[in-house]
PDB file of all heavy atoms in Angstrom:
ATOM      1  N   ARG S   2     119.263 140.572 120.659  1.00 96.00           N
ATOM      2  CA  ARG S   2     119.115 139.306 119.971  1.00 96.00           C
ATOM      3  C   ARG S   2     120.472 138.915 119.340  1.00 96.00           C
ATOM      4  O   ARG S   2     121.002 139.650 118.526  1.00 96.00           O
ATOM      5  CB  ARG S   2     118.061 139.422 118.893  1.00 96.00           C
ATOM      6  CG  ARG S   2     117.837 138.130 118.138  1.00 96.00           C
ATOM      7  CD  ARG S   2     116.564 138.137 117.423  1.00 96.00           C
ATOM      8  NE  ARG S   2     115.637 137.519 118.381  1.00 96.00           N
ATOM      9  CZ  ARG S   2     114.410 137.255 118.150  1.00 96.00           C
ATOM     10  NH1 ARG S   2     113.869 137.539 117.001  1.00 96.00           N
ATOM     11  NH2 ARG S   2     113.631 136.677 119.072  1.00 96.00           N
ATOM     12  N   ILE S   3     120.999 137.782 119.814  1.00 98.00           N
ATOM     13  CA  ILE S   3     122.308 137.323 119.314  1.00 98.00           C
ATOM     14  C   ILE S   3     122.141 136.051 118.489  1.00 98.00           C
ATOM     15  O   ILE S   3     121.457 135.111 118.942  1.00 98.00           O
ATOM     16  CB  ILE S   3     123.274 137.063 120.488  1.00 98.00           C
ATOM     17  CG1 ILE S   3     123.432 138.329 121.318  1.00 98.00           C
ATOM     18  CG2 ILE S   3     124.608 136.523 119.991  1.00 98.00           C
ATOM     19  CD1 ILE S   3     124.183 138.124 122.619  1.00 98.00           C
ATOM     20  N   GLY S   4     122.721 136.092 117.304  1.00 98.00           N
ATOM     21  CA  GLY S   4     122.685 134.912 116.421  1.00 98.00           C
ATOM     22  C   GLY S   4     124.084 134.342 116.241  1.00 98.00           C
ATOM     23  O   GLY S   4     125.081 135.073 116.310  1.00 98.00           O
ATOM     24  N   LEU S   5     124.159 133.067 115.984  1.00 98.00           N
ATOM     25  CA  LEU S   5     125.449 132.392 115.740  1.00 98.00           C
ATOM     26  C   LEU S   5     125.369 131.744 114.345  1.00 98.00           C
ATOM     27  O   LEU S   5     124.458 130.984 114.055  1.00 98.00           O
ATOM     28  CB  LEU S   5     125.686 131.309 116.787  1.00 98.00           C
ATOM     29  CG  LEU S   5     126.863 130.361 116.521  1.00 98.00           C
ATOM     30  CD1 LEU S   5     128.195 131.074 116.510  1.00 98.00           C
ATOM     31  CD2 LEU S   5     126.865 129.241 117.584  1.00 98.00           C
ATOM     32  N   TYR S   6     126.325 132.130 113.471  1.00 98.00           N
ATOM     33  CA  TYR S   6     126.428 131.538 112.152  1.00 98.00           C
ATOM     34  C   TYR S   6     127.695 130.719 112.170  1.00 98.00           C
ATOM     35  O   TYR S   6     128.817 131.269 112.015  1.00 98.00           O
ATOM     36  CB  TYR S   6     126.434 132.616 111.068  1.00 98.00           C
ATOM     37  CG  TYR S   6     126.598 132.123 109.660  1.00 98.00           C
ATOM     38  CD1 TYR S   6     126.021 130.939 109.221  1.00 98.00           C
ATOM     39  CD2 TYR S   6     127.335 132.831 108.764  1.00 98.00           C
ATOM     40  CE1 TYR S   6     126.191 130.496 107.937  1.00 98.00           C
ATOM     41  CE2 TYR S   6     127.502 132.429 107.427  1.00 98.00           C
ATOM     42  CZ  TYR S   6     126.960 131.240 107.034  1.00 98.00           C
ATOM     43  OH  TYR S   6     127.081 130.803 105.735  1.00 98.00           O
ATOM     44  N   ILE S  20     124.847 135.082 103.208  1.00 95.00           N
ATOM     45  CA  ILE S  20     124.120 134.661 104.424  1.00 95.00           C
ATOM     46  C   ILE S  20     124.435 135.604 105.591  1.00 95.00           C
ATOM     47  O   ILE S  20     123.544 135.979 106.361  1.00 95.00           O
ATOM     48  CB  ILE S  20     124.447 133.202 104.775  1.00 95.00           C
ATOM     49  CG1 ILE S  20     123.992 132.238 103.671  1.00 95.00           C
ATOM     50  CG2 ILE S  20     123.826 132.823 106.130  1.00 95.00           C
ATOM     51  CD1 ILE S  20     122.520 132.162 103.431  1.00 95.00           C
ATOM     52  N   ILE S  21     125.680 136.004 105.736  1.00 96.00           N
ATOM     53  CA  ILE S  21     126.061 136.935 106.814  1.00 96.00           C
ATOM     54  C   ILE S  21     125.268 138.217 106.691  1.00 96.00           C
ATOM     55  O   ILE S  21     124.693 138.702 107.670  1.00 96.00           O
ATOM     56  CB  ILE S  21     127.600 137.196 106.793  1.00 96.00           C
ATOM     57  CG1 ILE S  21     128.353 135.931 107.204  1.00 96.00           C
ATOM     58  CG2 ILE S  21     127.938 138.379 107.741  1.00 96.00           C
ATOM     59  CD1 ILE S  21     129.885 135.978 106.906  1.00 96.00           C
ATOM     60  N   GLN S  22     125.277 138.776 105.530  1.00 94.00           N
ATOM     61  CA  GLN S  22     124.586 140.061 105.308  1.00 94.00           C
ATOM     62  C   GLN S  22     123.112 139.957 105.598  1.00 94.00           C
ATOM     63  O   GLN S  22     122.523 140.789 106.254  1.00 94.00           O
ATOM     64  CB  GLN S  22     124.808 140.530 103.863  1.00 94.00           C
ATOM     65  CG  GLN S  22     124.329 141.924 103.639  1.00 94.00           C
ATOM     66  CD  GLN S  22     124.800 142.452 102.308  1.00 94.00           C
ATOM     67  OE1 GLN S  22     125.901 142.175 101.868  1.00 94.00           O
ATOM     68  NE2 GLN S  22     124.018 143.294 101.697  1.00 94.00           N
ATOM     69  N   ARG S  23     122.479 138.868 105.175  1.00 93.00           N
ATOM     70  CA  ARG S  23     121.031 138.718 105.407  1.00 93.00           C
ATOM     71  C   ARG S  23     120.704 138.373 106.841  1.00 93.00           C
ATOM     72  O   ARG S  23     119.725 138.786 107.392  1.00 93.00           O
ATOM     73  CB  ARG S  23     120.458 137.731 104.429  1.00 93.00           C
ATOM     74  CG  ARG S  23     120.502 138.338 103.009  1.00 93.00           C
ATOM     75  CD  ARG S  23     119.762 137.590 101.927  1.00 93.00           C
ATOM     76  NE  ARG S  23     120.277 136.283 101.690  1.00 93.00           N
ATOM     77  CZ  ARG S  23     119.505 135.175 101.743  1.00 93.00           C
ATOM     78  NH1 ARG S  23     118.238 135.257 102.016  1.00 93.00           N
ATOM     79  NH2 ARG S  23     120.009 134.005 101.514  1.00 93.00           N
ATOM     80  N   ALA S  24     121.633 137.628 107.498  1.00 96.00           N
ATOM     81  CA  ALA S  24     121.421 137.300 108.911  1.00 96.00           C
ATOM     82  C   ALA S  24     121.483 138.569 109.764  1.00 96.00           C
ATOM     83  O   ALA S  24     120.816 138.635 110.827  1.00 96.00           O
ATOM     84  CB  ALA S  24     122.442 136.280 109.366  1.00 96.00           C
ATOM     85  N   MET S  25     122.255 139.551 109.342  1.00 94.00           N
ATOM     86  CA  MET S  25     122.374 140.796 110.104  1.00 94.00           C
ATOM     87  C   MET S  25     121.016 141.492 110.272  1.00 94.00           C
ATOM     88  O   MET S  25     120.823 142.215 111.250  1.00 94.00           O
ATOM     89  CB  MET S  25     123.355 141.742 109.432  1.00 94.00           C
ATOM     90  CG  MET S  25     124.809 141.312 109.502  1.00 94.00           C
ATOM     91  SD  MET S  25     125.386 141.198 111.208  1.00 94.00           S
ATOM     92  CE  MET S  25     125.230 142.905 111.736  1.00 94.00           C
ATOM     93  N   VAL S  28     119.270 139.875 113.578  1.00 96.00           N
ATOM     94  CA  VAL S  28     119.862 139.916 114.929  1.00 96.00           C
ATOM     95  C   VAL S  28     120.545 141.253 115.191  1.00 96.00           C
ATOM     96  O   VAL S  28     120.841 141.987 114.239  1.00 96.00           O
ATOM     97  CB  VAL S  28     120.865 138.771 115.139  1.00 96.00           C
ATOM     98  CG1 VAL S  28     120.201 137.408 115.058  1.00 96.00           C
ATOM     99  CG2 VAL S  28     122.031 138.840 114.148  1.00 96.00           C
ATOM    100  N   ASP S  29     120.742 141.533 116.457  1.00 95.00           N
ATOM    101  CA  ASP S  29     121.492 142.753 116.836  1.00 95.00           C
ATOM    102  C   ASP S  29     123.018 142.482 116.760  1.00 95.00           C
ATOM    103  O   ASP S  29     123.785 143.352 116.441  1.00 95.00           O
ATOM    104  CB  ASP S  29     121.139 143.163 118.256  1.00 95.00           C
ATOM    105  CG  ASP S  29     119.653 143.408 118.399  1.00 95.00           C
ATOM    106  OD1 ASP S  29     119.129 144.255 117.654  1.00 95.00           O
ATOM    107  OD2 ASP S  29     119.012 142.791 119.251  1.00 95.00           O
ATOM    108  N   ARG S  30     123.384 141.258 117.128  1.00 97.00           N
ATOM    109  CA  ARG S  30     124.793 140.864 117.060  1.00 97.00           C
ATOM    110  C   ARG S  30     124.849 139.501 116.392  1.00 97.00           C
ATOM    111  O   ARG S  30     124.116 138.562 116.765  1.00 97.00           O
ATOM    112  CB  ARG S  30     125.404 140.736 118.451  1.00 97.00           C
ATOM    113  CG  ARG S  30     126.855 140.199 118.405  1.00 97.00           C
ATOM    114  CD  ARG S  30     127.450 139.951 119.791  1.00 97.00           C
ATOM    115  NE  ARG S  30     127.457 141.157 120.568  1.00 97.00           N
ATOM    116  CZ  ARG S  30     127.349 141.181 121.898  1.00 97.00           C
ATOM    117  NH1 ARG S  30     127.190 140.083 122.561  1.00 97.00           N
ATOM    118  NH2 ARG S  30     127.388 142.315 122.546  1.00 97.00           N
ATOM    119  N   LEU S  31     125.717 139.401 115.387  1.00 98.00           N
ATOM    120  CA  LEU S  31     125.928 138.109 114.726  1.00 98.00           C
ATOM    121  C   LEU S  31     127.347 137.646 115.083  1.00 98.00           C
ATOM    122  O   LEU S  31     128.324 138.326 114.856  1.00 98.00           O
ATOM    123  CB  LEU S  31     125.819 138.277 113.212  1.00 98.00           C
ATOM    124  CG  LEU S  31     125.975 136.951 112.448  1.00 98.00           C
ATOM    125  CD1 LEU S  31     124.863 135.961 112.767  1.00 98.00           C
ATOM    126  CD2 LEU S  31     126.029 137.193 110.941  1.00 98.00           C
ATOM    127  N   VAL S  32     127.380 136.450 115.711  1.00 98.00           N
ATOM    128  CA  VAL S  32     128.639 135.835 116.008  1.00 98.00           C
ATOM    129  C   VAL S  32     128.895 134.808 114.889  1.00 98.00           C
ATOM    130  O   VAL S  32     128.074 133.953 114.647  1.00 98.00           O
ATOM    131  CB  VAL S  32     128.630 135.133 117.385  1.00 98.00           C
ATOM    132  CG1 VAL S  32     129.954 134.415 117.652  1.00 98.00           C
ATOM    133  CG2 VAL S  32     128.310 136.144 118.473  1.00 98.00           C
ATOM    134  N   ILE S  33     130.047 134.970 114.249  1.00 98.00           N
ATOM    135  CA  ILE S  33     130.429 134.024 113.190  1.00 98.00           C
ATOM    136  C   ILE S  33     131.364 133.032 113.871  1.00 98.00           C
ATOM    137  O   ILE S  33     132.481 133.387 114.239  1.00 98.00           O
ATOM    138  CB  ILE S  33     131.044 134.721 111.982  1.00 98.00           C
ATOM    139  CG1 ILE S  33     130.082 135.748 111.422  1.00 98.00           C
ATOM    140  CG2 ILE S  33     131.427 133.678 110.921  1.00 98.00           C
ATOM    141  CD1 ILE S  33     130.647 136.600 110.350  1.00 98.00           C
ATOM    142  N   GLY S  34     130.884 131.831 114.031  1.00 98.00           N
ATOM    143  CA  GLY S  34     131.702 130.795 114.700  1.00 98.00           C
ATOM    144  C   GLY S  34     132.543 130.072 113.672  1.00 98.00           C
ATOM    145  O   GLY S  34     132.014 129.383 112.808  1.00 98.00           O
ATOM    146  N   SER S  58     133.699 140.536 107.114  1.00 96.00           N
ATOM    147  CA  SER S  58     132.680 141.061 108.034  1.00 96.00           C
ATOM    148  C   SER S  58     132.814 142.601 108.103  1.00 96.00           C
ATOM    149  O   SER S  58     131.783 143.316 108.095  1.00 96.00           O
ATOM    150  CB  SER S  58     132.826 140.485 109.425  1.00 96.00           C
ATOM    151  OG  SER S  58     132.663 139.081 109.381  1.00 96.00           O
ATOM    152  N   GLY S  68     125.056 147.358 112.732  1.00 87.00           N
ATOM    153  CA  GLY S  68     125.067 146.046 113.348  1.00 87.00           C
ATOM    154  C   GLY S  68     126.371 145.748 113.995  1.00 87.00           C
ATOM    155  O   GLY S  68     127.278 146.581 114.021  1.00 87.00           O
ATOM    156  N   GLU S  69     126.471 144.529 114.483  1.00 95.00           N
ATOM    157  CA  GLU S  69     127.678 144.120 115.150  1.00 95.00           C
ATOM    158  C   GLU S  69     127.972 142.695 114.735  1.00 95.00           C
ATOM    159  O   GLU S  69     127.096 141.829 114.776  1.00 95.00           O
ATOM    160  CB  GLU S  69     127.499 144.175 116.697  1.00 95.00           C
ATOM    161  CG  GLU S  69     128.739 143.799 117.431  1.00 95.00           C
ATOM    162  CD  GLU S  69     128.531 143.789 118.973  1.00 95.00           C
ATOM    163  OE1 GLU S  69     127.417 144.129 119.439  1.00 95.00           O
ATOM    164  OE2 GLU S  69     129.492 143.401 119.652  1.00 95.00           O
ATOM    165  N   ILE S  70     129.206 142.472 114.330  1.00 97.00           N
ATOM    166  CA  ILE S  70     129.680 141.131 113.975  1.00 97.00           C
ATOM    167  C   ILE S  70     130.899 140.821 114.835  1.00 97.00           C
ATOM    168  O   ILE S  70     131.793 141.627 114.948  1.00 97.00           O
ATOM    169  CB  ILE S  70     130.026 141.023 112.491  1.00 97.00           C
ATOM    170  CG1 ILE S  70     128.825 141.281 111.625  1.00 97.00           C
ATOM    171  CG2 ILE S  70     130.614 139.648 112.190  1.00 97.00           C
ATOM    172  CD1 ILE S  70     129.088 141.286 110.120  1.00 97.00           C
ATOM    173  N   VAL S  71     130.871 139.629 115.406  1.00 97.00           N
ATOM    174  CA  VAL S  71     131.979 139.108 116.201  1.00 97.00           C
ATOM    175  C   VAL S  71     132.428 137.814 115.578  1.00 97.00           C
ATOM    176  O   VAL S  71     131.578 136.961 115.277  1.00 97.00           O
ATOM    177  CB  VAL S  71     131.555 138.877 117.663  1.00 97.00           C
ATOM    178  CG1 VAL S  71     132.689 138.253 118.480  1.00 97.00           C
ATOM    179  CG2 VAL S  71     131.057 140.148 118.317  1.00 97.00           C
ATOM    180  N   VAL S  72     133.712 137.623 115.381  1.00 98.00           N
ATOM    181  CA  VAL S  72     134.245 136.374 114.837  1.00 98.00           C
ATOM    182  C   VAL S  72     134.821 135.586 116.025  1.00 98.00           C
ATOM    183  O   VAL S  72     135.642 136.117 116.766  1.00 98.00           O
ATOM    184  CB  VAL S  72     135.301 136.622 113.747  1.00 98.00           C
ATOM    185  CG1 VAL S  72     135.861 135.305 113.230  1.00 98.00           C
ATOM    186  CG2 VAL S  72     134.725 137.449 112.627  1.00 98.00           C
ATOM    187  N   ILE S  90     119.731 132.145 118.643  1.00 98.00           N
ATOM    188  CA  ILE S  90     119.434 131.731 117.292  1.00 98.00           C
ATOM    189  C   ILE S  90     120.685 131.189 116.660  1.00 98.00           C
ATOM    190  O   ILE S  90     121.761 131.783 116.740  1.00 98.00           O
ATOM    191  CB  ILE S  90     118.942 132.945 116.441  1.00 98.00           C
ATOM    192  CG1 ILE S  90     117.662 133.507 117.005  1.00 98.00           C
ATOM    193  CG2 ILE S  90     118.774 132.548 114.976  1.00 98.00           C
ATOM    194  CD1 ILE S  90     117.283 134.857 116.388  1.00 98.00           C
ATOM    195  N   VAL S  92     122.044 130.400 112.946  1.00 97.00           N
ATOM    196  CA  VAL S  92     121.726 130.658 111.539  1.00 97.00           C
ATOM    197  C   VAL S  92     122.467 129.660 110.672  1.00 97.00           C
ATOM    198  O   VAL S  92     123.687 129.449 110.845  1.00 97.00           O
ATOM    199  CB  VAL S  92     122.219 132.118 111.151  1.00 97.00           C
ATOM    200  CG1 VAL S  92     121.969 132.365 109.645  1.00 97.00           C
ATOM    201  CG2 VAL S  92     121.497 133.165 111.983  1.00 97.00           C
TER     202      VAL S  92
END
Side-chain angles (χ1 to χ4, degrees):
R2 180 162 269 186
I3 300 171
L5 171 63
Y6 177 38
I20 297 295
I21 292 167
Q22 188 168 327
R23 292 190 299 125
M25 289 298 298
V28 297
D29 302 304
R30 175 187 300 149
L31 182 64
V32 177
I33 302 173
S58 298
E69 182 183 358
I70 298 176
V71 176
V72 179
I90 298 169
V92 176

